[in-house]
Amino acid sequence: MKLSPTFLSRIPALFLSCCLLLAFGCSDSQDAVEPTLDMDSKANNKSANMMKEYWVEINPLNHSGVTGQAKLVVEGNVLTVEVWAEGLEAGMPHPQHIHGFVENKGNATCPPPSADVNGDGLIDLGEGVPFYGPVLVSLTPFPTAEDGTIHYKQTFMLGMGDMIAYQALKPLQNRVIVLHGMTVEGTYWPTLPIACGQIMPGNSMGMGNR
Ligand SMILES: [Cu+2]
């Protein structure tokens, strides 16, 4: 997680709550990790060669106007995530994650307007959790959308270090991608969900224009 000291000093408490979620996601995933990676087995070689593609249509939350797409590719324990998005607040850090439920592998969804249980007109991070669950993968380094757009591409080694294992992350179609960070009444709120999309098997063919 690469954040400038100025950012941290600006909104430490809000960001910590996001980190907390991330920590929970990680510990959950490690609990659920099973020793499925037989490095010497032929089965592992077979799965390592199998490429799975996923596509995400990202829609705005909290009237952010943020839209986008994402592409995910899993090959063995290598996860590549590419995100295109526009309409973001420029020059600000935008945390972005894969969210989902590890415990029962229930289907994570993007929160509907009714998720705003306190009726303040915004779906805050916590109000969205019953729908999208905790953070499973933190899509770092978080982009800052210098011109209000994001083109992000990063590769993750699943099951390495703090990274969730594929066994716990799958099925990816039960996960969502959430983008965060927007100014509300003059204060930048880095955890505020601004866009969300369900991960779907497949690619951009017939789904988007990328
Ligand atoms: Cu998130």
Side-chain angles (χ1 to χ4, degrees), residues 72-113:
L72 289 81
V73 176
V74 180
E75 245 178 312
N77 68 332
V78 180
L79 168 69
T80 302
V81 180
E82 196 163 5
V83 178
W84 302 265
E86 57 189 25
L88 293 100
E89 202 165 319
M92 299 300 278
H94 291 284
Q96 50 180 12
H97 312 107
I98 297 173
H99 285 251
F101 300 98
V102 166
E103 303 254 318
N104 53 12
K105 293 195 180 289
N107 188 32
T109 57
C110 293

Side-chain angles (χ1 to χ4, degrees), residues 18 21 95-99 125 132 135 137 177-180 191:
C18 203
L21 270 183
Q96 50 180 12
H97 312 107
I98 297 173
H99 285 251
L125 180 69
Y132 48 57
V135 171
V137 179
I177 285 186
V178 183
L179 313 183
H180 304 262
T191 63

